Amino acid sequence: PSPLSSKPAKITLTTNCGDIVIETLPDQAPLTVASEIFLVEQGFYDSVACHRLTTAGIFVLQCGDPKGDGTGGPGYQVPDENLPGEGAANYPAGSVAMANAGPGTSGSQFFLVYEDTTLPSGYTIWGTVTSGLELLRGVAAAGVTGGGSDGGPTQSITIETATAQAG
């Protein structure tokens, strides 16, 4: 594993809309952070669009799918870790959590929470947005393609490169 996996590190998502900086939480989600650092260092996220924006009820931008349709991943799964308790705003603004298709199915897709959100507690929280929250809110304010509340963002946002460095 990368030396960046064991201590808090910064992952910078350089997007066409600006930079989003995530501080990792290796003490709370060691396996997930190790996987995310590995994927970043492999260039997995480079040129990958954030394919899903939700603007009603839950407030998240989902990224990390190389297929761009919600079905892609790295070819392996990571166990759940650092699941919050059930309750209001259990995924506060700035949380970075893994998307999944059920328990123990996290892969490469993650979501960035731009406003306090209440979700079932099944999504591993592995990082915190330390810079770029306003950028995310701007993408959200532009809305969802076609005018709904869940789908592709009107303001397309693509991770041009993702890099990791010691925190």
Side-chain angles (χ1 to χ4, degrees), residues 115-156:
E115 299 291 352
D116 290 356
T117 293
T118 303
L119 286 167
S121 68
Y123 306 95
T124 297
I125 296 176
W126 62 270
T128 306
V129 174
T130 56
S131 176
L133 204 53
E134 290 310 312
L135 176 157
L136 291 170
R137 289 180 175 140
V139 169
V144 174
T145 303
S149 61
D150 186 0
T154 299
Q155 167 59 62
S156 74

PDB file of all heavy atoms in Angstrom, residues 115-156:
ATOM      1  N   GLU A 115     -24.658  19.813   0.838  1.00  0.00           N
ATOM      2  CA  GLU A 115     -25.512  20.364   1.901  1.00  0.00           C
ATOM      3  C   GLU A 115     -25.833  19.214   2.846  1.00  0.00           C
ATOM      4  O   GLU A 115     -25.879  18.063   2.408  1.00  0.00           O
ATOM      5  CB  GLU A 115     -26.826  20.946   1.346  1.00  0.00           C
ATOM      6  CG  GLU A 115     -26.686  22.101   0.362  1.00  0.00           C
ATOM      7  CD  GLU A 115     -26.185  23.388   0.974  1.00  0.00           C
ATOM      8  OE1 GLU A 115     -26.070  23.483   2.217  1.00  0.00           O
ATOM      9  OE2 GLU A 115     -25.873  24.317   0.203  1.00  0.00           O
ATOM     10  N   ASP A 116     -26.073  19.525   4.126  1.00  0.00           N
ATOM     11  CA  ASP A 116     -26.379  18.465   5.092  1.00  0.00           C
ATOM     12  C   ASP A 116     -27.449  17.540   4.521  1.00  0.00           C
ATOM     13  O   ASP A 116     -28.476  17.994   4.004  1.00  0.00           O
ATOM     14  CB  ASP A 116     -26.882  19.056   6.413  1.00  0.00           C
ATOM     15  CG  ASP A 116     -25.790  19.780   7.182  1.00  0.00           C
ATOM     16  OD1 ASP A 116     -24.631  19.770   6.736  1.00  0.00           O
ATOM     17  OD2 ASP A 116     -26.106  20.359   8.230  1.00  0.00           O
ATOM     18  N   THR A 117     -27.186  16.232   4.597  1.00  0.00           N
ATOM     19  CA  THR A 117     -28.032  15.228   3.968  1.00  0.00           C
ATOM     20  C   THR A 117     -28.316  14.092   4.949  1.00  0.00           C
ATOM     21  O   THR A 117     -27.424  13.683   5.688  1.00  0.00           O
ATOM     22  CB  THR A 117     -27.332  14.686   2.694  1.00  0.00           C
ATOM     23  OG1 THR A 117     -27.265  15.744   1.727  1.00  0.00           O
ATOM     24  CG2 THR A 117     -28.072  13.509   2.085  1.00  0.00           C
ATOM     25  N   THR A 118     -29.542  13.601   4.916  1.00  0.00           N
ATOM     26  CA  THR A 118     -29.932  12.439   5.710  1.00  0.00           C
ATOM     27  C   THR A 118     -30.087  11.250   4.771  1.00  0.00           C
ATOM     28  O   THR A 118     -30.840  11.308   3.799  1.00  0.00           O
ATOM     29  CB  THR A 118     -31.262  12.713   6.445  1.00  0.00           C
ATOM     30  OG1 THR A 118     -31.102  13.877   7.255  1.00  0.00           O
ATOM     31  CG2 THR A 118     -31.659  11.526   7.315  1.00  0.00           C
ATOM     32  N   LEU A 119     -29.327  10.196   5.058  1.00  0.00           N
ATOM     33  CA  LEU A 119     -29.359   8.970   4.255  1.00  0.00           C
ATOM     34  C   LEU A 119     -29.382   7.765   5.190  1.00  0.00           C
ATOM     35  O   LEU A 119     -28.977   7.882   6.350  1.00  0.00           O
ATOM     36  CB  LEU A 119     -28.087   8.867   3.395  1.00  0.00           C
ATOM     37  CG  LEU A 119     -27.958   9.774   2.185  1.00  0.00           C
ATOM     38  CD1 LEU A 119     -26.533   9.762   1.672  1.00  0.00           C
ATOM     39  CD2 LEU A 119     -28.914   9.312   1.095  1.00  0.00           C
ATOM     40  N   PRO A 120     -29.796   6.592   4.698  1.00  0.00           N
ATOM     41  CA  PRO A 120     -29.573   5.381   5.483  1.00  0.00           C
ATOM     42  C   PRO A 120     -28.065   5.256   5.734  1.00  0.00           C
ATOM     43  O   PRO A 120     -27.267   5.670   4.897  1.00  0.00           O
ATOM     44  CB  PRO A 120     -30.061   4.257   4.558  1.00  0.00           C
ATOM     45  CG  PRO A 120     -30.951   4.920   3.561  1.00  0.00           C
ATOM     46  CD  PRO A 120     -30.422   6.329   3.409  1.00  0.00           C
ATOM     47  N   SER A 121     -27.691   4.684   6.874  1.00  0.00           N
ATOM     48  CA  SER A 121     -26.278   4.738   7.277  1.00  0.00           C
ATOM     49  C   SER A 121     -25.418   3.658   6.626  1.00  0.00           C
ATOM     50  O   SER A 121     -24.527   3.114   7.254  1.00  0.00           O
ATOM     51  CB  SER A 121     -26.173   4.635   8.795  1.00  0.00           C
ATOM     52  OG  SER A 121     -26.576   3.336   9.195  1.00  0.00           O
ATOM     53  N   GLY A 122     -25.622   3.370   5.354  1.00  0.00           N
ATOM     54  CA  GLY A 122     -24.892   2.296   4.698  1.00  0.00           C
ATOM     55  C   GLY A 122     -23.740   2.722   3.821  1.00  0.00           C
ATOM     56  O   GLY A 122     -23.237   1.916   3.045  1.00  0.00           O
ATOM     57  N   TYR A 123     -23.304   3.985   3.916  1.00  0.00           N
ATOM     58  CA  TYR A 123     -22.281   4.491   3.002  1.00  0.00           C
ATOM     59  C   TYR A 123     -21.050   4.932   3.782  1.00  0.00           C
ATOM     60  O   TYR A 123     -21.122   5.819   4.620  1.00  0.00           O
ATOM     61  CB  TYR A 123     -22.844   5.663   2.185  1.00  0.00           C
ATOM     62  CG  TYR A 123     -24.136   5.303   1.478  1.00  0.00           C
ATOM     63  CD1 TYR A 123     -25.375   5.593   2.048  1.00  0.00           C
ATOM     64  CD2 TYR A 123     -24.111   4.626   0.264  1.00  0.00           C
ATOM     65  CE1 TYR A 123     -26.560   5.234   1.417  1.00  0.00           C
ATOM     66  CE2 TYR A 123     -25.287   4.264  -0.379  1.00  0.00           C
ATOM     67  CZ  TYR A 123     -26.506   4.573   0.204  1.00  0.00           C
ATOM     68  OH  TYR A 123     -27.672   4.210  -0.419  1.00  0.00           O
ATOM     69  N   THR A 124     -19.914   4.307   3.484  1.00  0.00           N
ATOM     70  CA  THR A 124     -18.658   4.591   4.172  1.00  0.00           C
ATOM     71  C   THR A 124     -18.232   6.042   3.980  1.00  0.00           C
ATOM     72  O   THR A 124     -18.058   6.495   2.835  1.00  0.00           O
ATOM     73  CB  THR A 124     -17.542   3.677   3.618  1.00  0.00           C
ATOM     74  OG1 THR A 124     -17.876   2.318   3.901  1.00  0.00           O
ATOM     75  CG2 THR A 124     -16.186   4.022   4.227  1.00  0.00           C
ATOM     76  N   ILE A 125     -18.034   6.752   5.091  1.00  0.00           N
ATOM     77  CA  ILE A 125     -17.463   8.109   5.022  1.00  0.00           C
ATOM     78  C   ILE A 125     -15.940   7.979   5.141  1.00  0.00           C
ATOM     79  O   ILE A 125     -15.433   7.421   6.117  1.00  0.00           O
ATOM     80  CB  ILE A 125     -18.012   9.003   6.150  1.00  0.00           C
ATOM     81  CG1 ILE A 125     -19.528   9.201   5.980  1.00  0.00           C
ATOM     82  CG2 ILE A 125     -17.284  10.360   6.150  1.00  0.00           C
ATOM     83  CD1 ILE A 125     -20.180   9.991   7.104  1.00  0.00           C
ATOM     84  N   TRP A 126     -15.220   8.467   4.134  1.00  0.00           N
ATOM     85  CA  TRP A 126     -13.762   8.298   4.113  1.00  0.00           C
ATOM     86  C   TRP A 126     -12.993   9.605   3.973  1.00  0.00           C
ATOM     87  O   TRP A 126     -11.761   9.607   3.999  1.00  0.00           O
ATOM     88  CB  TRP A 126     -13.353   7.324   3.009  1.00  0.00           C
ATOM     89  CG  TRP A 126     -13.702   7.774   1.620  1.00  0.00           C
ATOM     90  CD1 TRP A 126     -14.863   7.522   0.949  1.00  0.00           C
ATOM     91  CD2 TRP A 126     -12.891   8.555   0.726  1.00  0.00           C
ATOM     92  NE1 TRP A 126     -14.829   8.109  -0.299  1.00  0.00           N
ATOM     93  CE2 TRP A 126     -13.638   8.737  -0.464  1.00  0.00           C
ATOM     94  CE3 TRP A 126     -11.608   9.114   0.826  1.00  0.00           C
ATOM     95  CZ2 TRP A 126     -13.141   9.456  -1.547  1.00  0.00           C
ATOM     96  CZ3 TRP A 126     -11.116   9.839  -0.254  1.00  0.00           C
ATOM     97  CH2 TRP A 126     -11.870   9.999  -1.424  1.00  0.00           C
ATOM     98  N   GLY A 127     -13.707  10.715   3.854  1.00  0.00           N
ATOM     99  CA  GLY A 127     -12.986  11.976   3.696  1.00  0.00           C
ATOM    100  C   GLY A 127     -13.893  13.169   3.927  1.00  0.00           C
ATOM    101  O   GLY A 127     -15.110  13.031   4.119  1.00  0.00           O
ATOM    102  N   THR A 128     -13.251  14.338   3.937  1.00  0.00           N
ATOM    103  CA  THR A 128     -13.940  15.608   4.138  1.00  0.00           C
ATOM    104  C   THR A 128     -13.449  16.599   3.088  1.00  0.00           C
ATOM    105  O   THR A 128     -12.230  16.725   2.873  1.00  0.00           O
ATOM    106  CB  THR A 128     -13.620  16.176   5.541  1.00  0.00           C
ATOM    107  OG1 THR A 128     -13.933  15.193   6.525  1.00  0.00           O
ATOM    108  CG2 THR A 128     -14.397  17.442   5.819  1.00  0.00           C
ATOM    109  N   VAL A 129     -14.390  17.292   2.448  1.00  0.00           N
ATOM    110  CA  VAL A 129     -14.014  18.339   1.493  1.00  0.00           C
ATOM    111  C   VAL A 129     -13.493  19.535   2.294  1.00  0.00           C
ATOM    112  O   VAL A 129     -14.213  20.105   3.108  1.00  0.00           O
ATOM    113  CB  VAL A 129     -15.220  18.763   0.631  1.00  0.00           C
ATOM    114  CG1 VAL A 129     -14.849  19.953  -0.261  1.00  0.00           C
ATOM    115  CG2 VAL A 129     -15.723  17.600  -0.202  1.00  0.00           C
ATOM    116  N   THR A 130     -12.219  19.882   2.085  1.00  0.00           N
ATOM    117  CA  THR A 130     -11.629  21.015   2.795  1.00  0.00           C
ATOM    118  C   THR A 130     -11.549  22.251   1.901  1.00  0.00           C
ATOM    119  O   THR A 130     -11.340  23.358   2.380  1.00  0.00           O
ATOM    120  CB  THR A 130     -10.228  20.674   3.328  1.00  0.00           C
ATOM    121  OG1 THR A 130      -9.409  20.242   2.239  1.00  0.00           O
ATOM    122  CG2 THR A 130     -10.296  19.575   4.380  1.00  0.00           C
ATOM    123  N   SER A 131     -11.708  22.071   0.599  1.00  0.00           N
ATOM    124  CA  SER A 131     -11.716  23.184  -0.346  1.00  0.00           C
ATOM    125  C   SER A 131     -12.538  22.756  -1.550  1.00  0.00           C
ATOM    126  O   SER A 131     -12.415  21.622  -2.008  1.00  0.00           O
ATOM    127  CB  SER A 131     -10.282  23.513  -0.768  1.00  0.00           C
ATOM    128  OG  SER A 131     -10.280  24.519  -1.749  1.00  0.00           O
ATOM    129  N   GLY A 132     -13.399  23.653  -2.027  1.00  0.00           N
ATOM    130  CA  GLY A 132     -14.180  23.349  -3.211  1.00  0.00           C
ATOM    131  C   GLY A 132     -15.666  23.156  -2.954  1.00  0.00           C
ATOM    132  O   GLY A 132     -16.428  22.869  -3.883  1.00  0.00           O
ATOM    133  N   LEU A 133     -16.106  23.335  -1.702  1.00  0.00           N
ATOM    134  CA  LEU A 133     -17.525  23.163  -1.402  1.00  0.00           C
ATOM    135  C   LEU A 133     -18.383  24.183  -2.169  1.00  0.00           C
ATOM    136  O   LEU A 133     -19.459  23.837  -2.672  1.00  0.00           O
ATOM    137  CB  LEU A 133     -17.753  23.271   0.113  1.00  0.00           C
ATOM    138  CG  LEU A 133     -18.997  22.583   0.677  1.00  0.00           C
ATOM    139  CD1 LEU A 133     -19.089  21.120   0.262  1.00  0.00           C
ATOM    140  CD2 LEU A 133     -19.010  22.700   2.197  1.00  0.00           C
ATOM    141  N   GLU A 134     -17.891  25.413  -2.292  1.00  0.00           N
ATOM    142  CA  GLU A 134     -18.653  26.422  -3.040  1.00  0.00           C
ATOM    143  C   GLU A 134     -18.754  26.044  -4.519  1.00  0.00           C
ATOM    144  O   GLU A 134     -19.781  26.278  -5.162  1.00  0.00           O
ATOM    145  CB  GLU A 134     -18.023  27.814  -2.877  1.00  0.00           C
ATOM    146  CG  GLU A 134     -18.189  28.389  -1.474  1.00  0.00           C
ATOM    147  CD  GLU A 134     -19.637  28.323  -0.974  1.00  0.00           C
ATOM    148  OE1 GLU A 134     -20.549  28.718  -1.725  1.00  0.00           O
ATOM    149  OE2 GLU A 134     -19.854  27.861   0.163  1.00  0.00           O
ATOM    150  N   LEU A 135     -17.692  25.458  -5.053  1.00  0.00           N
ATOM    151  CA  LEU A 135     -17.706  24.970  -6.431  1.00  0.00           C
ATOM    152  C   LEU A 135     -18.819  23.927  -6.584  1.00  0.00           C
ATOM    153  O   LEU A 135     -19.599  23.968  -7.542  1.00  0.00           O
ATOM    154  CB  LEU A 135     -16.330  24.376  -6.744  1.00  0.00           C
ATOM    155  CG  LEU A 135     -16.060  23.711  -8.084  1.00  0.00           C
ATOM    156  CD1 LEU A 135     -14.567  23.730  -8.339  1.00  0.00           C
ATOM    157  CD2 LEU A 135     -16.560  22.286  -8.125  1.00  0.00           C
ATOM    158  N   LEU A 136     -18.899  22.984  -5.632  1.00  0.00           N
ATOM    159  CA  LEU A 136     -19.940  21.953  -5.686  1.00  0.00           C
ATOM    160  C   LEU A 136     -21.329  22.577  -5.615  1.00  0.00           C
ATOM    161  O   LEU A 136     -22.241  22.167  -6.350  1.00  0.00           O
ATOM    162  CB  LEU A 136     -19.779  20.970  -4.520  1.00  0.00           C
ATOM    163  CG  LEU A 136     -18.558  20.066  -4.581  1.00  0.00           C
ATOM    164  CD1 LEU A 136     -18.377  19.332  -3.262  1.00  0.00           C
ATOM    165  CD2 LEU A 136     -18.695  19.084  -5.732  1.00  0.00           C
ATOM    166  N   ARG A 137     -21.482  23.568  -4.746  1.00  0.00           N
ATOM    167  CA  ARG A 137     -22.791  24.235  -4.624  1.00  0.00           C
ATOM    168  C   ARG A 137     -23.149  24.967  -5.915  1.00  0.00           C
ATOM    169  O   ARG A 137     -24.322  25.032  -6.287  1.00  0.00           O
ATOM    170  CB  ARG A 137     -22.786  25.177  -3.424  1.00  0.00           C
ATOM    171  CG  ARG A 137     -22.773  24.401  -2.111  1.00  0.00           C
ATOM    172  CD  ARG A 137     -22.757  25.303  -0.892  1.00  0.00           C
ATOM    173  NE  ARG A 137     -22.868  24.508   0.322  1.00  0.00           N
ATOM    174  CZ  ARG A 137     -22.187  24.745   1.436  1.00  0.00           C
ATOM    175  NH1 ARG A 137     -21.354  25.770   1.512  1.00  0.00           N
ATOM    176  NH2 ARG A 137     -22.341  23.967   2.493  1.00  0.00           N
ATOM    177  N   GLY A 138     -22.148  25.490  -6.610  1.00  0.00           N
ATOM    178  CA  GLY A 138     -22.391  26.146  -7.891  1.00  0.00           C
ATOM    179  C   GLY A 138     -22.858  25.158  -8.952  1.00  0.00           C
ATOM    180  O   GLY A 138     -23.772  25.445  -9.730  1.00  0.00           O
ATOM    181  N   VAL A 139     -22.233  23.986  -8.998  1.00  0.00           N
ATOM    182  CA  VAL A 139     -22.660  22.934  -9.932  1.00  0.00           C
ATOM    183  C   VAL A 139     -24.100  22.538  -9.602  1.00  0.00           C
ATOM    184  O   VAL A 139     -24.945  22.386 -10.488  1.00  0.00           O
ATOM    185  CB  VAL A 139     -21.713  21.716  -9.865  1.00  0.00           C
ATOM    186  CG1 VAL A 139     -22.289  20.525 -10.630  1.00  0.00           C
ATOM    187  CG2 VAL A 139     -20.331  22.078 -10.402  1.00  0.00           C
ATOM    188  N   ALA A 140     -24.395  22.390  -8.310  1.00  0.00           N
ATOM    189  CA  ALA A 140     -25.745  22.008  -7.889  1.00  0.00           C
ATOM    190  C   ALA A 140     -26.763  23.086  -8.263  1.00  0.00           C
ATOM    191  O   ALA A 140     -27.873  22.782  -8.716  1.00  0.00           O
ATOM    192  CB  ALA A 140     -25.771  21.748  -6.385  1.00  0.00           C
ATOM    193  N   ALA A 141     -26.379  24.351  -8.100  1.00  0.00           N
ATOM    194  CA  ALA A 141     -27.295  25.458  -8.385  1.00  0.00           C
ATOM    195  C   ALA A 141     -27.673  25.495  -9.867  1.00  0.00           C
ATOM    196  O   ALA A 141     -28.774  25.932 -10.218  1.00  0.00           O
ATOM    197  CB  ALA A 141     -26.668  26.783  -7.963  1.00  0.00           C
ATOM    198  N   ALA A 142     -26.771  25.012 -10.724  1.00  0.00           N
ATOM    199  CA  ALA A 142     -27.069  24.981 -12.165  1.00  0.00           C
ATOM    200  C   ALA A 142     -28.106  23.908 -12.495  1.00  0.00           C
ATOM    201  O   ALA A 142     -28.699  23.932 -13.573  1.00  0.00           O
ATOM    202  CB  ALA A 142     -25.782  24.748 -12.955  1.00  0.00           C
ATOM    203  N   GLY A 143     -28.318  22.974 -11.583  1.00  0.00           N
ATOM    204  CA  GLY A 143     -29.397  22.014 -11.737  1.00  0.00           C
ATOM    205  C   GLY A 143     -29.028  20.749 -12.478  1.00  0.00           C
ATOM    206  O   GLY A 143     -27.883  20.520 -12.865  1.00  0.00           O
ATOM    207  N   VAL A 144     -30.064  19.927 -12.658  1.00  0.00           N
ATOM    208  CA  VAL A 144     -29.945  18.618 -13.295  1.00  0.00           C
ATOM    209  C   VAL A 144     -30.426  18.725 -14.739  1.00  0.00           C
ATOM    210  O   VAL A 144     -31.427  19.389 -15.026  1.00  0.00           O
ATOM    211  CB  VAL A 144     -30.792  17.580 -12.505  1.00  0.00           C
ATOM    212  CG1 VAL A 144     -30.819  16.236 -13.218  1.00  0.00           C
ATOM    213  CG2 VAL A 144     -30.247  17.429 -11.088  1.00  0.00           C
ATOM    214  N   THR A 145     -29.728  18.054 -15.642  1.00  0.00           N
ATOM    215  CA  THR A 145     -30.120  18.023 -17.046  1.00  0.00           C
ATOM    216  C   THR A 145     -31.578  17.590 -17.171  1.00  0.00           C
ATOM    217  O   THR A 145     -31.986  16.606 -16.565  1.00  0.00           O
ATOM    218  CB  THR A 145     -29.218  17.039 -17.822  1.00  0.00           C
ATOM    219  OG1 THR A 145     -27.868  17.437 -17.644  1.00  0.00           O
ATOM    220  CG2 THR A 145     -29.551  17.032 -19.296  1.00  0.00           C
ATOM    221  N   GLY A 146     -32.359  18.349 -17.928  1.00  0.00           N
ATOM    222  CA  GLY A 146     -33.752  17.999 -18.131  1.00  0.00           C
ATOM    223  C   GLY A 146     -34.679  18.537 -17.055  1.00  0.00           C
ATOM    224  O   GLY A 146     -35.888  18.355 -17.127  1.00  0.00           O
ATOM    225  N   GLY A 147     -34.099  19.185 -16.041  1.00  0.00           N
ATOM    226  CA  GLY A 147     -34.924  19.870 -15.057  1.00  0.00           C
ATOM    227  C   GLY A 147     -35.412  19.044 -13.884  1.00  0.00           C
ATOM    228  O   GLY A 147     -36.124  19.552 -13.032  1.00  0.00           O
ATOM    229  N   GLY A 148     -35.026  17.780 -13.798  1.00  0.00           N
ATOM    230  CA  GLY A 148     -35.434  16.965 -12.652  1.00  0.00           C
ATOM    231  C   GLY A 148     -34.583  17.272 -11.439  1.00  0.00           C
ATOM    232  O   GLY A 148     -33.910  18.306 -11.367  1.00  0.00           O
ATOM    233  N   SER A 149     -34.592  16.341 -10.472  1.00  0.00           N
ATOM    234  CA  SER A 149     -33.790  16.549  -9.266  1.00  0.00           C
ATOM    235  C   SER A 149     -32.751  15.449  -9.082  1.00  0.00           C
ATOM    236  O   SER A 149     -32.040  15.425  -8.089  1.00  0.00           O
ATOM    237  CB  SER A 149     -34.695  16.603  -8.036  1.00  0.00           C
ATOM    238  OG  SER A 149     -35.396  15.382  -7.886  1.00  0.00           O
ATOM    239  N   ASP A 150     -32.636  14.525 -10.033  1.00  0.00           N
ATOM    240  CA  ASP A 150     -31.672  13.432  -9.927  1.00  0.00           C
ATOM    241  C   ASP A 150     -31.290  13.000 -11.337  1.00  0.00           C
ATOM    242  O   ASP A 150     -32.126  12.508 -12.094  1.00  0.00           O
ATOM    243  CB  ASP A 150     -32.297  12.254  -9.158  1.00  0.00           C
ATOM    244  CG  ASP A 150     -31.311  11.129  -8.891  1.00  0.00           C
ATOM    245  OD1 ASP A 150     -30.138  11.231  -9.296  1.00  0.00           O
ATOM    246  OD2 ASP A 150     -31.726  10.147  -8.269  1.00  0.00           O
ATOM    247  N   GLY A 151     -30.027  13.241 -11.687  1.00  0.00           N
ATOM    248  CA  GLY A 151     -29.555  12.868 -13.021  1.00  0.00           C
ATOM    249  C   GLY A 151     -28.236  13.545 -13.315  1.00  0.00           C
ATOM    250  O   GLY A 151     -27.527  13.973 -12.402  1.00  0.00           O
ATOM    251  N   GLY A 152     -27.904  13.658 -14.561  1.00  0.00           N
ATOM    252  CA  GLY A 152     -26.653  14.297 -14.941  1.00  0.00           C
ATOM    253  C   GLY A 152     -26.682  15.784 -14.632  1.00  0.00           C
ATOM    254  O   GLY A 152     -27.712  16.434 -14.798  1.00  0.00           O
ATOM    255  N   PRO A 153     -25.561  16.340 -14.143  1.00  0.00           N
ATOM    256  CA  PRO A 153     -25.536  17.779 -13.860  1.00  0.00           C
ATOM    257  C   PRO A 153     -25.560  18.602 -15.154  1.00  0.00           C
ATOM    258  O   PRO A 153     -24.903  18.241 -16.124  1.00  0.00           O
ATOM    259  CB  PRO A 153     -24.226  17.979 -13.099  1.00  0.00           C
ATOM    260  CG  PRO A 153     -23.369  16.811 -13.424  1.00  0.00           C
ATOM    261  CD  PRO A 153     -24.295  15.676 -13.806  1.00  0.00           C
ATOM    262  N   THR A 154     -26.338  19.689 -15.156  1.00  0.00           N
ATOM    263  CA  THR A 154     -26.383  20.600 -16.302  1.00  0.00           C
ATOM    264  C   THR A 154     -24.992  21.168 -16.562  1.00  0.00           C
ATOM    265  O   THR A 154     -24.533  21.235 -17.701  1.00  0.00           O
ATOM    266  CB  THR A 154     -27.382  21.747 -16.029  1.00  0.00           C
ATOM    267  OG1 THR A 154     -28.671  21.166 -15.837  1.00  0.00           O
ATOM    268  CG2 THR A 154     -27.441  22.721 -17.187  1.00  0.00           C
ATOM    269  N   GLN A 155     -24.326  21.598 -15.476  1.00  0.00           N
ATOM    270  CA  GLN A 155     -22.930  22.055 -15.576  1.00  0.00           C
ATOM    271  C   GLN A 155     -22.059  20.815 -15.515  1.00  0.00           C
ATOM    272  O   GLN A 155     -21.838  20.253 -14.458  1.00  0.00           O
ATOM    273  CB  GLN A 155     -22.594  23.000 -14.416  1.00  0.00           C
ATOM    274  CG  GLN A 155     -21.095  23.278 -14.237  1.00  0.00           C
ATOM    275  CD  GLN A 155     -20.431  23.897 -15.447  1.00  0.00           C
ATOM    276  OE1 GLN A 155     -20.774  24.981 -15.856  1.00  0.00           O
ATOM    277  NE2 GLN A 155     -19.469  23.192 -16.032  1.00  0.00           N
ATOM    278  N   SER A 156     -21.587  20.351 -16.694  1.00  0.00           N
ATOM    279  CA  SER A 156     -20.801  19.126 -16.654  1.00  0.00           C
ATOM    280  C   SER A 156     -19.517  19.363 -15.867  1.00  0.00           C
ATOM    281  O   SER A 156     -18.924  20.440 -15.923  1.00  0.00           O
ATOM    282  CB  SER A 156     -20.507  18.622 -18.067  1.00  0.00           C
ATOM    283  OG  SER A 156     -19.537  19.439 -18.671  1.00  0.00           O
TER     284      SER A 156
END
